[in-house]
Every structure is written in C-alpha cells, then in structure tokens.
Amino acid sequence: MSRTRDDLFSYLLSDRSGQSVHSDRSDHSGARIDVSGVAGVGEATGVTGVTPEGAAWLASAGTYPRSTLALWAERPHAPVVLPCGSVFDVVSTPAVFGRRMLDRLWDEGPGAGPVAAFRGRILLFAAPGTAQRLPSLLRWEEFSRTDGIPPLLCHGTGDAVTVPAPADTYAASPTPSGTRWLVAPDTRTPWLPGPEVLLWAAVRAARAAVRISIFPHADQDAKVYDVSRRR
C-alpha cells in the first residue's frame, strides 16, 4: 500500500480501518496474546497511530507482552518503557540531525523503520545488534571522512527506551517534552535498518548539513515520502 507524508513532524499514518487484525498472538512463554483490545484506537480518538499488529510487535520486546497490551487496551494514550536488544535496538539522534538522516533515508535510500520523537530527539528503531556495531563504524567514518556527525546514542541489550503510546495524541495536545510516533509500526514484522544503512544516512546527513547551510532552500521543510519504498 502506498502512503505519503507531508512535513515529517506532522506526519500521521492513515487508512488503518480497513486492515485485518488477528486477535491472538503468542508471548515469550507461549501463552496467547490478545491484541483486539488495542484495535480501533484511531477510530475512537479521531487520531491514528500504531495498528494492533504494530502494538503486538512492540509489546513482544517486553518480558510480559500481555500486560503491556492490557495496559494499552485500558490506557491507549500511555507511553511505556520497553527493553532493547531482542526485538529492536534504538539509535537516538539530535532532532535536526535525525530529520536530515530521515530525509536521506526516504529521498535516496530504502526508507525507515518505526521512528519516534522524544524530548527533542529522534528515535530510530533499528535491527538488533545495531547498537553494538554502529559506534565503531561511526568512529571509523568520522576519522576518515567527516567530523559533521553529532554524538548518537545507541541503545541495545541492557538498555530501555520510552515508547510512545499506540494512540497518537500529539497533534491534539503537543508539548515540548512529549513523545510521539513519526512513523508508527503497522506490522508484526516491520523492516528495521541495520548499522550500515544508518551509517550511510548519517554520513549523507552530515554532508547535506553543509550544503543546506551554504545554499538554503525556501521549501526545505516541505517533505513528501512514499512509504511503499521501504524495503
């Protein structure tokens, strides 16, 4: 399915109501997970966010997926803290640089996996193992080619991150420290970029920053991305 986004920071996934949902999934212990409780979040609030399949994927990162889904069924606007390392890693970037990385990923690369904003930073959900490998790749790249990449925080095994709520309420009540989805997970098996892809995006974002500072474009904030290009 083809989806587009306007400005990156006002993007909301749409057309969720027609997707089919399986009401049962398995947690780590082999028990069944009921994801039906988070269905219809978008319809109830008028704002769309994570699909039930995406919520099941996020919940599977925790020790007790059913408890996470039960919380979201009762409080769909509640962010939660989930561990990294097994289902996903997270690369946290400064907001402006993270936006430039996303521009490169969507304009020139394979697209992005789930992406969130949290307290002035961009959280790029990445393949497990990225947090261990990316720092060494960045050190080599910065030494040999460019010093324009700011410090990136890599969260992997032993770390945890705050995950936005399934219901995206940012548009209704934005706050400077709020957390929200920029690209919400919409499948049980989302594509996640690895360290090489994120290194590629970071290098090109650093180079783009130099070009933008010299030749600013009047419409540089107007972005449209085709999500169907995601690999």
Side-chain angles (χ1 to χ4, degrees):
M1 177 182 296
S2 176
R3 301 186 180 96
T4 60
R5 106 169 62 172
D6 294 324
D7 185 2
L8 178 64
F9 290 95
S10 63
Y11 175 71
L12 293 174
L13 291 176
S14 60
D15 294 333
R16 302 298 194 193
S17 58
Q19 294 188 5
S20 61
V21 177
H22 298 288
S23 62
D24 291 324
R25 293 294 174 188
S26 297
D27 64 11
H28 299 317
S29 64
R32 305 298 287 178
I33 301 175
D34 181 8
V35 301
S36 60
V38 294
V41 167
E43 292 81 357
T45 63
V47 181
T48 52
V50 180
T51 65
E53 290 290 324
W57 172 72
L58 288 169
S60 69
T63 305
Y64 304 104
R66 287 189 299 173
S67 296
T68 300
L69 290 171
L71 171 64
W72 278 336
E74 182 178 351
R75 300 173 56 198
H77 306 297
V80 300
V81 177
L82 292 175
C84 302
S86 60
V87 174
F88 54 75
D89 283 359
V90 171
V91 176
S92 173
T93 76
V96 173
F97 190 79
R99 175 171 181 168
R100 290 171 182 158
M101 286 182 65
L102 286 173
D103 287 347
R104 303 284 73 75
L105 286 168
W106 287 107
D107 291 346
E108 306 167 14
V115 182
F118 179 66
R119 294 183 177 176
R121 298 186 69 86
I122 300 297
L123 306 182
L124 300 163
F125 284 68
T130 297
Q132 180 178 5
R133 178 64 175 152
L134 184 58
S136 60
L137 294 177
L138 286 169
R139 284 192 295 269
W140 177 85
E141 192 69 34
E142 289 177 348
F143 175 78
S144 62
R145 298 187 183 184
T146 178
D147 58 359
I149 302 176
L152 306 182
L153 305 180
C154 298
H155 303 288
T157 303
D159 300 323
V161 296
T162 298
V163 173
D168 192 341
T169 58
Y170 182 89
S173 56
T175 60
S177 61
T179 176
R180 65 167 299 212
W181 289 107
L182 302 181
V183 180
D186 59 356
T187 175
R188 197 64 168 77
T189 56
W191 178 81
L192 298 173
E196 294 81 5
V197 171
L198 293 180
L199 172 69
W200 174 90
V203 170
R204 279 156 180 77
R207 295 173 181 171
V210 174
R211 292 196 299 271
I212 290 173
S213 65
I214 299 176
F215 303 108
H217 193 281
D219 296 327
Q220 64 183 11
D221 287 336
K223 296 294 180 182
V224 178
Y225 300 94
D226 182 0
V227 182
S228 66
R229 293 176 55 238
R230 182 192 301 159
R231 294 178 184 173

